[in-house]
DNA sequence: TCATAGAACTACACTAAGTGTAAAAATGCA
DNA sequence: TGCATTTTTACACTTAGTGTAGTTCTATGA
């Protein structure tokens, strides 16, 4: 077995806490739910919550770092001679694929929807999400400079990254605000991406 | 007198708290400084701090809402027949002018520098700054739809806005990270803006 | 000048997030 | 079984932030 009982139980506890948290947040609202209540509902000590998650918000952003790492790998794996627009497009496709896969693999679609609603409406969670996107942006820019040493300097790379992610994010959020259905949502995100990309290809 | 004594004293207290806060943050660091310490140093009750500022972070973002409002006015005041790139350029010029004026009008340049360093390095403050930019973005996009009813829909406007602000922000932060001097910093910001704008003009 | 309404400030009690520590319980391994 | 390591727990503590009621200061009208 590649996972010991200890590791398995730890993961279980972590997962139990996270799912309990989303459920309670959905029922009572984010601010109205205390960490103590989550811990009690999951039948663990309050401290155990903070042993697994550095803050109350973090319980909602468990997989984000890993998902971001995947995008960075795409950038780092620039193919020989691959143009910047092509590489960014590959990254975007990967982002999209992950996003859709997440929706499918989710064992509980209702939780997924609750999650989206929370992150879109609760200021503290929005700020957290923005901050993490911001960190991703810096890492992408840094990696871009490495794989395009002759074409990109740090400022240019940061501008490109900010432009692309900003456009995609803006379009996605606007689409959600409008309550657009699934398929139009993907189309809107694509529009944002294409718009930003046009600035690169001269 | 257009300002009563009451209003004047209130403003004085508010200003005293804000300046004391920046000074202490600069000396001891943001997290290491408690609101109680700030209040004590400014010789007011802790509650008075929260009467003026909703949170510890907010003491560092006093003028932001007003400055953002100015940018929105530029957008709302689209001149007859003015193209989107022209209007955005006017907004950018305004942003720049405000930014430079702020640096000049600052009675204490050292505090200004401390302020910049804090906002750039402390996670909680970065997140707050990002969140406020995000809110500005939404308002700009909303206003753009109003002044370009035939050319822009909500998704397009959000994409444009996100692209431009994202690029400018990315370039500016990268420039600061590099420690570029004043003049190169402005040039870098401009590069970001121009890059994003290219995506619009065809 | 005095009286009074309202605004700002203060004192105080309280909730909740988050940290540090040491002990207890569970697990891995010899 | 015995021992080391990891996870969980209990507990005490700090700090951000809220609610309330009372006090002080300011504006204003008689």
């Amino acid at each position: 077995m590649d996972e010991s009982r200890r590791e398995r139980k730890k993961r279980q506890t972590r997962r139990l806490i996270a799912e309990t948290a989303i459920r309670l947040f959905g029922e009572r609202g984010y601010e109205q739910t205390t960490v103590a209540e989550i811990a009690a509902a999951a039948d663990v000590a309050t401290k155990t919550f903070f042993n697994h998650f550095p803050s109350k918000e973090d319980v909602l952003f468990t997989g984000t770092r890993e998902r971001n790492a995947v995008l960075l790998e795409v950038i780092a794996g620039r193919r020989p001679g691959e143009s910047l627009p092509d590489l960014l497009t590959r990254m975007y496709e990967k982002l999209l694929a992950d996003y859709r896969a997440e929706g499918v693999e989710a064992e509980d679609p209702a939780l997924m929807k609750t999650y989206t609603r929370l992150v879109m409406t609760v200021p503290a969670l929005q700020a957290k999400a923005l901050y993490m996107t911001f960190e991703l942006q810096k890492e992408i820019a840094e990696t871009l400079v490495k794989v395009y040493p002759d074409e990109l300097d740090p400022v240019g790379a940061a501008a490109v990254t900010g432009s692309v992610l900003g456009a995609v994010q803006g379009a996605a959020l606007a689409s959600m605000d409008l309550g657009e259905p699934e398929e139009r949502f993907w189309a809107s995100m694509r529009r944002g991406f294409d718009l930003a990309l046009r600035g690169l290809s001269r």
Side-chain angles (χ1 to χ4, degrees), chain A residues 155-170:
Chain A
V155 171
V160 167
T161 312
S163 173
V164 171
L165 290 196
V168 171
Q169 181 182 259

Side-chain angles (χ1 to χ4, degrees), chain A residues 3-169:
Chain A
E3 192 184 33
S4 68
R5 185 198 317 249
R6 194 173 263 171
E7 287 163 339
R8 199 164 52 248
K9 287 211 169 179
K10 185 174 182 181
R11 260 200 336 117
Q12 278 174 1
T13 303
R14 185 186 171 84
R15 186 191 188 83
L16 174 64
I17 294 173
E19 287 183 352
T20 306
I22 300 187
R23 185 170 55 78
L24 290 185
F25 289 159
E27 289 170 14
R28 317 180 189 177
Y30 178 79
E31 288 95 346
Q32 286 69 43
T33 310
T34 70
V35 173
E37 286 169 346
I38 298 167
D43 198 29
V44 296
T46 302
K47 188 69 213 272
T48 301
F49 179 100
F50 289 108
N51 284 346
H52 284 274
F53 308 100
S55 77
K56 185 180 172 183
E57 298 131 51
D58 280 294
V59 78
L60 287 170
F61 299 97
T62 53
T64 308
R65 279 196 73 82
E66 290 75 2
R67 259 176 282 134
N68 288 352
V70 170
L71 299 184
L72 277 175
E73 278 167 26
V74 173
I75 301 294
R78 176 201 175 191
R79 294 167 184 163
E82 189 174 29
S83 74
L84 179 56
D86 284 352
L87 177 57
L88 289 174
T89 302
R90 272 212 297 130
M91 181 189 77
Y92 174 76
E93 307 284 7
K94 186 72 185 169
L95 173 77
L96 215 68
D98 285 2
Y99 213 137
R100 304 185 95 136
E102 191 184 6
V104 174
E105 91 185 22
E107 43 294 318
D108 193 340
L111 274 197
M112 193 67 208
K113 238 190 145 176
T114 300
Y115 170 84
T116 305
R117 200 193 75 227
L118 285 167
V119 175
M120 290 230 7
T121 56
V122 179
L125 301 178
Q126 287 182 285
K128 179 86 186 179
L130 287 168
Y131 181 72
M132 288 189 314
T133 304
F134 171 70
E135 286 200 311
L136 172 64
Q137 226 177 74
K138 284 197 294 189
E139 290 179 308
I140 290 178
E142 209 175 309
T143 310
L144 277 178
V145 173
K146 279 189 197 142
V147 297
Y148 290 101
D150 303 326
E151 288 102 321
L152 284 176
D153 66 313
V155 171
V160 167
T161 312
S163 173
V164 171
L165 290 196
V168 171
Q169 181 182 259

